[in-house]
């Protein structure tokens, strides 16, 4: 099952909420999810595999093209699509573009109106009707939710389970994500870079986990992680390091806190910053930093 929607509608937040763990990065800045990521929810009688996608948008450069390609390929061959909207806004032209993409794809679909918590009570019925008008018959049902506070999430899970085909579970019961741990760790670091630097550091940042080692010290489990943050310009490197290394310290500490959700024991995290001009235009660099196409 794939989650599809424009950047920033709350796809990653919703997956985290439904699965109940932080497995994907979220951010107030659009387009933070770069690769497809699978999150897995196993209940007593069903297994739901969520595929998080980068938002669908018009491509501007090589990286952008890859994002859109991956999003489109994510709707091929899935049992069900969750089409997520930000219900805070009326449906617009970009929404029609995504709807049309689905109609040609003939996929089963649940429309999810997210951020329902932001709507005034008096506006709710009108907004629901606007979205009902946008969608058509091949879209099976509509559910309003708040990925932030969990409103409607149980109802959504039940609707999903009702529409899933019968089959054997694909993953063991306790698996919640199928990304390699290194990818998840680098995403957690990238998330803190985006959150802490906002406008100054655009999406030209990548993170590479250079080394990950398990050490036992006095009977304690320690995971030592060495990571490089790659930026395109020297000025960006300066911002990232901050005065006396203060910015890098904040990024490292916050990322490490989130890593504790994924790794048992203590974590040592060491960060370096490297400048590689125009890495986003270089195929070899895109592959090195994990942005391959997967189809
Ligand atoms: P994505 O680009 O679709 O993956 O969007 P994200 O999951 O990264 O979320 C974008 C922003 O919307 C973040 O700041 C989230 O905290 C916020 N957000 C997501 N879901 C909700 C919601 O249900 N209510 C509110 N108020 N904010 C939300
Ligand atoms: Mg996302």
């Amino acid at each position: 099952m794939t989650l599809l929607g424009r950047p920033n509608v709350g796809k990653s937040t919703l997956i985290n909420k439904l699965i109940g763990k932080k497995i994907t990065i979220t951010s107030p800045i659009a387009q933070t999810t770069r690769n497809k990521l699978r999150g897995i929810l196993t209940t007593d009688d069903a297994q739901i595999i969520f595929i998080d996608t980068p938002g669908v948008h018009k491509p501007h450069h090589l990286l952008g093209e890859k994002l859109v390609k991956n999003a489109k390929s994510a709707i091929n061959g899935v049992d069900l699509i969750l089409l997520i909207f930000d219900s805070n806004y009326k449906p617009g032209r970009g929404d029609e573009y995504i709807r049309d993409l689905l109609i040609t794809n003939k996929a089963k679909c649940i429309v999810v109106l997210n951020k329902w918590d932001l709507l005034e009570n008096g506006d709710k019925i009108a907004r629901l009707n606007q979205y009902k008008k946008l969608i058509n018959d091949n879209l099976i049902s509509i559910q309003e939710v708040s990925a932030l506070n969990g409103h409607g999430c149980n109802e959504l899970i039940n609707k999903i389970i009702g529409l899933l085909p019968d089959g054997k579970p694909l993953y063991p019961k306790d698996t919640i994500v199928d990304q390699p741990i290194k990818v998840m760790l680098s995403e957690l670091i990238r998330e803190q870079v985006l959150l802490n630097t906002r406008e100054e550091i655009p999406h030209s940042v990548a993170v590479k986990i250079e080394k990950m080692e398990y050490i036992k010290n006095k009977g304690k489990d320690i995971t030592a992680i060495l990571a490089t943050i790659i930026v395109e310009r020297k000025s960006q490197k300066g911002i990232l390091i901050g005065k006396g290394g203060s910015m890098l310290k904040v990024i490292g500490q916050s990322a490490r806190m989130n890593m504790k959700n994924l790794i048992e024991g203590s974590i040592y995290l060491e960060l370096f910053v490297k400048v590689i001009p125009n890495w986003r235009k270089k195929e070899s660099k895109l592959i090195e930093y994990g942005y391959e196409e997967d189809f």
Side-chain angles (χ1 to χ4, degrees):
M1 193 188 62
T2 289
L3 277 83
L4 206 65
R6 302 172 78 184
N8 233 26
V9 296
K11 297 178 293 298
S12 302
T13 311
L14 184 62
I15 293 195
N16 287 337
K17 191 76 191 180
L18 295 177
I19 292 178
K21 278 224 178 192
K22 185 168 173 58
I23 59 162
T24 167
I25 75 170
T26 59
S27 133
I29 310 150
Q31 247 181 280
T32 37
T33 308
R34 281 192 175 161
N35 281 311
K36 285 196 309 186
L37 182 142
R38 283 182 175 76
I40 300 135
L41 175 68
T42 308
T43 67
D44 287 342
D45 42 24
Q47 183 168 70
I48 309 173
I49 300 159
F50 298 96
I51 307 176
D52 192 11
T53 58
V56 176
H57 64 106
K58 293 234 170 74
H60 296 299
H61 42 66
L62 183 58
L63 176 59
E65 278 172 35
K66 280 184 188 293
L67 296 180
V68 172
K69 227 172 165 174
N70 282 350
K72 284 187 180 169
S73 74
I75 65 176
N76 286 327
V78 294
D79 297 318
L80 187 63
I81 292 167
L82 289 194
L83 183 53
I84 323 280
F85 291 108
D86 182 343
S87 63
N88 209 14
Y89 298 96
K90 280 192 219 164
R93 291 191 51 157
D95 301 324
E96 290 168 17
Y97 173 73
I98 293 178
R99 177 202 59 195
D100 294 343
L101 204 77
L102 284 178
I103 291 171
T104 46
N105 199 270
K106 294 221 178 352
K108 268 196 214 171
C109 180
I110 298 175
V111 168
V112 177
L113 303 183
N114 191 30
K115 308 200 188 182
W116 201 246
D117 55 293
L118 293 178
L119 261 85
E120 302 280 341
N121 274 335
D123 295 338
K124 288 182 174 167
I125 291 178
R127 191 49 49 86
L128 193 62
N129 285 332
Q130 284 161 352
Y131 277 99
K132 278 187 174 157
K133 235 168 112 179
L134 171 79
I135 63 177
N136 63 10
D137 292 346
N138 64 337
L139 304 173
I140 292 168
S141 61
I142 193 162
Q143 175 70 46
E144 58 281 6
V145 302
S146 167
L148 215 56
N149 68 22
H151 169 87
C153 286
N154 283 336
E155 289 88 338
L156 178 59
I157 288 177
N158 289 336
K159 281 185 181 161
I160 293 168
I161 292 175
L163 289 174
L164 284 180
D166 289 336
K168 287 223 163 74
L170 292 172
Y171 293 90
K173 238 178 117 168
D174 52 358
T175 305
I176 56 162
V177 68
D178 86 335
Q179 283 281 35
I181 184 82
K182 277 190 177 179
V183 174
M184 296 175 62
L185 297 178
S186 68
E187 287 286 275
L188 289 176
I189 297 168
R190 200 165 64 85
E191 174 176 50
Q192 291 306 323
V193 171
L194 294 175
L195 284 174
N196 286 290
T197 60
R198 289 289 179 109
E199 311 297 310
E200 297 99 304
I201 308 280
H203 294 278
S204 53
V205 53
V207 175
K208 187 179 176 203
I209 305 292
E210 308 280 357
K211 217 168 156 183
M212 185 171 164
E213 274 179 345
Y214 303 99
I215 314 163
K216 254 207 184 322
N217 191 1
K218 294 179 189 149
K220 272 187 18 188
D221 287 318
I222 298 168
T223 306
I225 300 158
L226 179 67
T228 314
I229 303 173
I230 297 105
V231 288
E232 291 195 318
R233 287 195 300 276
K234 232 178 149 174
S235 59
Q236 296 171 332
K237 179 174 173 174
I239 294 168
L240 265 184
I241 292 176
K243 229 180 180 171
S246 55
M247 175 61 93
L248 202 58
K249 200 169 160 193
V250 170
I251 291 169
Q253 278 170 348
S254 319
R256 213 166 58 84
M257 286 301 293
N258 285 330
M259 288 174 181
K260 286 187 172 167
N261 290 328
L262 301 171
I263 295 177
E264 306 226 336
S266 311
I267 300 168
Y268 289 161
L269 174 63
E270 203 169 344
L271 297 176
F272 290 94
V273 184
K274 195 164 149 186
V275 180
I276 301 181
N278 293 325
W279 68 264
R280 280 183 297 176
K281 299 205 181 86
K282 294 172 185 158
E283 185 84 34
S284 64
K285 291 293 170 200
L286 287 178
I287 291 171
E288 185 180 344
Y289 304 142
Y291 302 122
E292 309 109 277
E293 275 169 38
D294 40 9
F295 281 80

